[in-house]
Amino acid sequence: MTSSDTRAGGIAPRPVLDRLPRYAAGKPPAAVSGLASYKLSSNENPLPPIPAVLEAIAGQTDFNRYPDPLSSKLRAALAEFLGVPAADIVTGAGSLGALNQILAAFAGQNEDGKADEVIYAWRSFEAYPISVGLAGAESVRIPVTADGRHDLDAMAAAVSARTKVILLCTPNNPTGPALTAGETEAFIRSIPADVVVVIDEAYQEFVRAGDAVDGIDLYRKYPNVVVLRTFSKAHGLAGLRVGYSVSHPELTQYLRVAATPFAVSQIAEKAAIVSLDNYGQVVERVQKLVDERARLTAGLRDLGWAIPDAQGNFVWLALGAESAAFAEMAGTRALSVRAFAGEGVRVSIGEPEANTRFLQLCADYTKAPATS
């Protein structure tokens, strides 16, 4: 062992790392002879960006220069698109990057050595406990209801003097239901105004429930609301990592301090702007996925499966202890799905051929859960 190895062996990470789960990205499908493989494990858009985006970024060459740290052109485009001041928008590397900036600004370790608390539903987005822990805060997880919804009454009851941030994931990943406008506003009014409420709307474009919450509406009314959105899902720009938060100046003044410099690259900013400029084409593509989602959920229920209300680009199978076995069976059909051990399986809406094969898999699965 070299002296360098000796020194490295004595380095200890922060204790919190031993307590945090590891993020498990969706795995690619295994190759199966005679079958096209489909990845349904990462909630990616199966369609590429719209042609105008691909054309616009094809000749971009200015990567020897740092990007605009404020993403000024994108923020101006978003301001017009959303009808909000550009000053209220802070960009980040996907909505997760924007979330990490929020946690860095508002939740962590206090001067008295006690950790702030961040409340969120569980199961929800699996990066939440990692991001909260790395910020130095403590997670307070409130179990979702039997139908995969946020238990807002229990979340409100969990608020303490140490609560600094509450995360509302709508539609909830991985279970699927969206929060309603009425219940979300009632929840916000029931908690202290100095608690930051993050409405995470990564899948907002896929929502078709008529009473679903619109985070921008609540941001306009409540200074403690922050809205998270992304170009990863509906716009098909997951690989370019561009997201943003929307909040009032009372909050954005701190988010700009916490923001990672140059998080959104030139190519990501350009792609996002062009996608917004051609939003009608994005909507057409999203609707095709929503139509496929409707076909899947109807087919699953016809087969006797109990499926929570699916408002994202995925469906949830509450298979419990059988989750791993189901995922393994999917692999034999050249389909990759996302199993959460002991809880369930999330399946992204994919190409029509993939969705049809998934329905056949569910028809063949001999241990389907009882109907609701």
Side-chain angles (χ1 to χ4, degrees):
M1 180 179 293
T2 67
S3 58
S4 176
D5 292 331
T6 302
R7 290 195 301 271
I11 296 174
R14 291 170 55 200
V16 69
L17 265 68
D18 290 331
R19 302 192 298 270
L20 295 180
R22 270 52 173 176
Y23 185 87
K27 295 181 180 179
V32 177
S33 178
L35 290 177
S37 297
Y38 295 102
K39 185 182 180 187
L40 307 178
S41 56
S42 291
N43 285 353
E44 296 157 332
N45 191 324
L47 303 172
I50 60 173
V53 168
L54 297 177
E55 181 180 353
I57 64 178
Q60 195 156 349
T61 61
D62 59 343
F63 305 120
N64 56 312
R65 305 296 183 185
Y66 288 111
D68 172 10
L70 297 179
S71 304
S72 302
K73 293 179 180 178
L74 174 56
R75 288 171 48 243
L78 282 167
E80 181 176 355
F81 180 77
L82 298 171
V84 305
D88 288 3
I89 300 170
V90 181
T91 56
S95 57
L96 178 56
L99 171 62
N100 287 336
Q101 294 166 181
I102 294 167
L103 294 173
F106 298 110
Q109 201 83 15
N110 284 315
E111 293 180 357
D112 61 5
K114 294 182 179 180
D116 295 326
E117 293 179 345
V118 178
I119 297 173
Y120 51 88
W122 197 253
R123 174 168 288 276
S124 193
F125 182 32
E126 65 179 303
Y128 287 166
I130 302 171
S131 293
V132 170
L134 290 176
E138 180 178 335
S139 289
V140 178
R141 306 182 190 183
I142 307 300
V144 296
T145 62
D147 56 354
R149 299 183 57 82
H150 283 50
D151 187 341
L152 292 179
D153 289 340
M155 294 177 76
V159 174
S160 73
R162 292 170 56 195
T163 304
K164 298 300 181 183
V165 177
I166 299 174
L167 308 178
L168 303 178
C169 185
T170 178
N172 187 50
N173 173 22
T175 58
L179 292 166
T180 69
E183 69 181 346
T184 308
E185 183 161 13
F187 173 78
I188 293 170
R189 294 170 69 92
S190 74
I191 64 170
D194 61 352
V195 174
V196 175
V197 179
V198 179
I199 303 179
D200 186 346
E201 295 185 314
Y203 304 92
Q204 184 268 342
E205 295 89 346
F206 297 92
V207 175
R208 294 296 180 270
D211 60 351
V213 67
D214 183 326
I216 297 297
D217 289 342
L218 295 183
Y219 133 84
R220 298 185 199 280
K221 298 175 68 172
Y222 298 98
N224 61 325
V225 167
V226 185
V227 179
L228 281 181
R229 291 189 179 177
T230 184
F231 285 84
S232 294
K233 311 301 183 183
H235 293 265
L237 300 179
L240 292 183
R241 314 306 305 130
V242 53
Y244 59 96
S245 63
V246 184
S247 58
H248 287 275
E250 295 91 333
L251 302 184
T252 56
Q253 62 177 319
Y254 303 115
L255 295 181
R256 297 206 189 284
V257 175
T260 302
F262 312 118
V264 178
S265 68
Q266 298 97 319
I267 197 169
E269 182 175 25
K270 180 69 172 179
I273 292 170
V274 174
S275 202
L276 281 179
D277 288 344
N278 295 273
Y279 190 64
Q281 296 176 40
V282 174
V283 170
E284 290 178 4
R285 292 182 169 213
V286 167
Q287 188 57 48
K288 290 179 180 178
L289 295 174
V290 170
D291 292 344
E292 280 294 291
R293 181 184 72 194
R295 180 170 76 92
L296 267 187
T297 55
L300 287 167
R301 287 172 179 144
D302 287 345
L303 291 170
W305 291 72
I307 305 299
D309 184 30
Q311 292 293 324
N313 67 337
F314 53 90
V315 295
W316 174 250
L317 309 179
L319 282 162
E322 299 174 13
S323 300
F326 182 90
E328 184 176 352
M329 184 173 177
T332 67
R333 309 285 181 95
L335 299 175
S336 66
V337 297
R338 181 69 173 89
F340 296 85
E343 297 177 80
V345 175
R346 188 194 68 198
V347 184
S348 307
I349 307 302
E351 298 86 342
E353 298 82 359
N355 301 330
T356 297
R357 192 185 301 169
F358 168 65
L359 278 176
Q360 186 60 54
L361 165 68
C362 292
D364 296 341
Y365 193 69
T366 58
K367 296 181 180 180
T371 56
S372 57

